[in-house]
Amino acid sequence: MELRQLEYFVAVAEECHFTRAAKRVHVAQSGLSASIRSLEAELGAPLFVRSTRQVELTEAGRALLVEARRALGSVDAARDAVAAVQGLLRGSLSVGSLQCLHVVHLPAVLAAFHDAHPGVEIRLRQGGTADLVDEVRAGRVDVAFVTRSPDRDVRMSTLATEPLVLACAPEHPLAGRPSVALPELAGESFVDFNEGWGTRDVVDRTLAAAGVDRRVGVEVNDVHSLLDFVGFGLGVALVPRSFSLKTDLVRFVDLDGGPVAETVVVTGTTVSAAARALLDLVRAG
């Protein structure tokens, strides 16, 4: 089994098309197809279900894809490590981040990284915690800044913790209170992020532990929309305290019991030299 074969295999798996995959890796389609057939013969299993319209992974192909990405990532990390010893960083760095990341001022950090390592191509993707952790696990994202989740097969390091607070409209009955107990929120309609977003998962677990069976009436995928809906009285929300810096149209009330949200940095089992350099910048700041 050769690295070139794994590269071709991953390209076909991601493109779901032999012609597009061949263009992506700059090889003739006949050569790519022959390489895939050779790989299948060596493994003793078909990796793709081929049809005139599309290409799909078999069960064996799905199993190989995880390990192929990991192997190619390890090779890239080895090359980067040698370059780092020589005082150079090259290649690419893929970063994932929540939309509202108050712990790290990512634009400033990435700008400083680019100035120090201009030979590294930076790619940034924003999304929810579950999707970004999956991207790290698959090797498509090198570093992700997310809310802590229960995943056990990626590395998570704590960057910061902050309390959750109740966000409500100024005219809400709880708006003038110094603090609120979680059971008092039973029966409230909530505004929250979509399922799979880190803060949503934290709030779900927090309220479930307090015995609160809640109803989410409005689901959004960005902070500003969430606060707008809360401000107009369409529901309450539990959010990290740092959200209070983004608006003066919403009231924020402390919660009894001190539930917290934890921001973490997630990496795969292999950490590239570029990713390590970025994390050094984050921790130095």
Side-chain angles (χ1 to χ4, degrees):
M1 186 182 302
E2 301 177 359
L3 289 174
R4 174 178 51 81
Q5 290 176 305
L6 294 181
E7 181 185 1
Y8 292 175
F9 164 73
V10 170
V12 175
E14 292 181 347
E15 298 292 340
C16 298
H17 198 279
F18 275 82
T19 301
R20 290 196 298 268
K23 290 180 179 178
R24 169 171 151 179
V25 296
H26 308 292
V27 67
Q29 182 177 335
S30 58
L32 181 140
S33 297
S35 180
I36 296 296
R37 287 195 298 271
S38 175
L39 181 59
E40 290 176 320
E42 180 179 348
L43 294 175
L47 300 174
F48 298 102
V49 177
R50 300 161 172 85
S51 71
T52 56
R53 293 187 176 181
Q54 61 183 0
V55 176
E56 295 181 353
L57 285 166
T58 63
E59 184 175 351
R62 287 191 293 272
L64 178 62
L65 182 58
V66 174
E67 299 303 326
R69 284 171 171 159
R70 186 172 295 156
L72 293 173
S74 296
V75 171
D76 288 341
R79 290 174 178 146
D80 290 346
V82 173
V85 170
Q86 298 172 321
L88 300 171
L89 281 181
R90 59 177 180 77
S92 63
L93 175 66
S94 180
V95 181
S97 174
L98 302 175
Q99 288 185 351
C100 182
L101 183 68
H102 73 284
V103 175
V104 179
H105 191 248
L106 206 51
V109 169
L110 293 182
F113 180 91
H114 177 69
D115 288 343
H117 309 290
V120 177
E121 177 190 3
I122 301 172
R123 296 191 294 267
L124 174 66
R125 176 185 171 184
Q126 291 185 329
T129 291
D131 286 343
L132 292 177
V133 170
D134 284 344
E135 292 292 288
V136 171
R137 186 183 295 111
R140 293 187 291 269
V141 168
D142 300 304
V143 179
F145 301 96
V146 299
T147 303
R148 179 173 290 278
S149 67
D151 293 270
R152 299 178 184 275
D153 54 352
V154 292
R155 296 176 179 177
M156 290 191 181
S157 302
T158 300
L159 292 177
T161 59
E162 63 174 315
L164 291 174
V165 296
L166 173 69
C168 58
E171 62 275 11
H172 193 281
L174 298 175
R177 294 270 297 275
S179 65
V180 173
L182 290 173
E184 294 181 83
L185 302 178
E188 294 283 351
S189 180
F190 280 80
V191 180
D192 211 330
F193 297 110
N194 297 321
E195 293 185 3
W197 288 62
T199 304
R200 168 70 179 266
D201 294 340
V202 171
V203 173
D204 284 343
R205 294 195 298 268
T206 297
L207 291 175
V212 178
D213 184 15
R214 67 164 178 160
R215 182 180 71 85
V216 179
V218 178
E219 290 185 326
V220 299
N221 60 9
D222 71 280
V223 175
H224 300 290
S225 293
L226 182 145
L227 295 176
D228 282 344
F229 282 113
V230 169
F232 278 93
L234 292 173
V236 301
L238 299 189
V239 298
R241 179 174 285 164
S242 58
F243 283 22
S244 64
L245 303 176
K246 299 184 176 299
T247 180
D248 56 2
L249 301 178
V250 174
R251 297 293 179 266
F252 297 90
V253 184
D254 290 340
L255 295 170
D256 295 340
V260 299
E262 185 177 0
T263 303
V264 299
V265 57
V266 179
T267 57
T269 54
T270 301
V271 183
S272 69
R276 286 195 298 270
L278 177 70
L279 295 179
D280 287 343
L281 278 175
V282 169
R283 288 163 181 149

